[in-house]
Amino acid sequence: MPVVVSDAEVTLADVLSLRLAVDEPLAEGAELVLRNRATLAESRVPLGRPGAGVRDAALAVSLAPLDLGPGRWDTYLQQGSSRTRLRSVDPGFSLDHLEAYALSRRTLAYRAYRTRNGFLALKIDDARPTAEVRSVWFREGRFEVTGLLAFTGLEDDEARHDARLTLHRSRPDAELTSVATVQGVRFHAALSLCDVIAAAPGQTGTWEPSLRVRGVSTPLRLGSRLDDVDGKRRRLHYPAAQIDGVPIRPCYTADDELRIEVGG
């Protein structure tokens, strides 16, 4: 039986809201099955008893009580012995919604999305407080970055918070800091590239940026995950700046954390 998801969203209350278009009414005892792509663990959710004439079904599933762990979870409709993987025509992406979702302090972050081959899936991540990068660039001899404080619980208001940008590297150990601007949950920070080169002269290596914000208990790593671009290390390539003949460029790690590469 063809089943297509026409609308999919995880609400701010961590409820998976679905609208299904079906050729035939859902059978009594139908279940939504969530299957972890790596471990093959499953969670089943009874869908209740639909009406006899249902062709367009609206479903709401609270995700927190299901005790799903981080990872990617594929979705299926189970009816008796028949299991159908749910196709989706909804890309499941809204930058505004993702930003609003990230304003609350959470343990896990849930996102509904359409896979490359057109199926509905859930992506679940640990939701530790982080500095979500929106723009990064080199200009006038400076590294500059702007973004959003995610999962900190801070209010999106006009309040200013004392903050500092820190760049750290090991082998040899070095650290640089500069004052950052944080208003509500929006941040802007900048640091001289000449200072980066001078901190470890003649040494190639990678610097790890973080943001320390008063009112947030731990340093915030800079990364970029609240969008639909996974694997930024492969997909985003920034041009290198030349500082005293040394190439320096921003890049991302395999898990989408921001780094500054010097030399190479």
Side-chain angles (χ1 to χ4, degrees):
M1 177 184 72
V3 181
V4 177
V5 177
S6 57
D7 185 73
E9 178 186 27
V10 175
T11 71
L12 299 182
D14 289 335
V15 172
L16 176 61
S17 176
L18 300 178
R19 184 166 293 278
L20 305 180
V22 297
D23 285 351
E24 300 175 3
L26 298 181
E28 184 175 352
E31 295 176 308
L32 177 70
V33 180
L34 300 173
R35 187 184 191 192
N36 187 289
R37 196 174 299 170
T39 67
L40 304 184
E42 292 187 355
S43 181
R44 295 175 173 238
V45 182
L47 299 182
R49 183 171 182 171
V54 169
R55 293 294 187 277
D56 187 68
L59 307 177
V61 177
S62 182
L63 296 172
L66 300 181
D67 197 26
L68 306 175
R72 296 181 186 266
W73 295 75
D74 295 314
T75 60
Y76 299 83
L77 181 65
Q78 184 85 35
Q79 300 190 90
S81 61
S82 174
R83 174 175 292 192
T84 304
R85 192 174 178 187
L86 290 179
R87 289 198 166 273
S88 177
V89 295
D90 182 357
F93 175 73
S94 165
L95 182 59
D96 290 341
H97 173 80
L98 292 180
E99 287 197 356
Y101 185 84
L103 294 183
S104 298
R105 192 186 299 274
R106 302 175 185 276
T107 302
L108 293 175
Y110 304 88
R111 186 193 307 181
Y113 72 101
R114 184 179 60 191
T115 66
R116 292 182 182 178
N117 50 357
F119 293 102
L120 176 69
L122 282 179
K123 184 174 183 286
I124 305 177
D125 294 306
D126 290 316
R128 67 174 182 266
T130 186
E132 176 71 15
V133 173
R134 283 288 173 251
S135 298
V136 56
W137 62 93
F138 291 164
R139 65 181 178 185
E140 299 178 353
R142 298 189 304 173
F143 158 65
E144 293 192 48
V145 61
T146 64
L148 168 85
L149 303 185
F151 307 118
T152 62
L154 295 179
E155 297 291 334
D156 188 10
D157 54 23
E158 299 301 313
R160 290 185 175 271
H161 306 274
D162 292 339
R164 297 189 71 83
L165 172 70
T166 299
L167 291 186
H168 179 266
R169 62 163 290 167
S170 56
R171 298 188 301 274
D173 188 71
E175 186 170 282
L176 296 170
T177 64
S178 66
V179 174
T181 300
V182 174
Q183 183 169 330
V185 295
R186 315 290 164 173
F187 73 88
H188 172 269
L191 196 145
S192 168
L193 294 177
C194 292
D195 291 345
V196 174
I197 299 298
Q203 298 287 335
T204 63
T206 302
W207 293 78
E208 300 179 7
S210 62
L211 196 66
R212 299 176 184 267
V213 182
R214 178 167 297 191
V216 180
S217 60
T218 59
L220 304 177
R221 295 183 179 181
L222 273 66
S224 183
R225 298 183 179 90
L226 299 181
D227 56 28
D228 61 345
V229 182
D230 291 329
K232 292 180 178 63
R233 185 168 185 84
R234 301 188 311 273
R235 300 185 184 187
L236 294 182
H237 301 282
Y238 294 96
Q242 293 284 334
I243 305 297
D244 295 334
V246 179
I248 179 171
R249 63 162 56 86
C251 65
Y252 285 96
T253 66
D255 58 353
D256 292 337
E257 289 191 355
L258 184 65
R259 297 289 186 267
I260 306 298
E261 288 187 345
V262 175

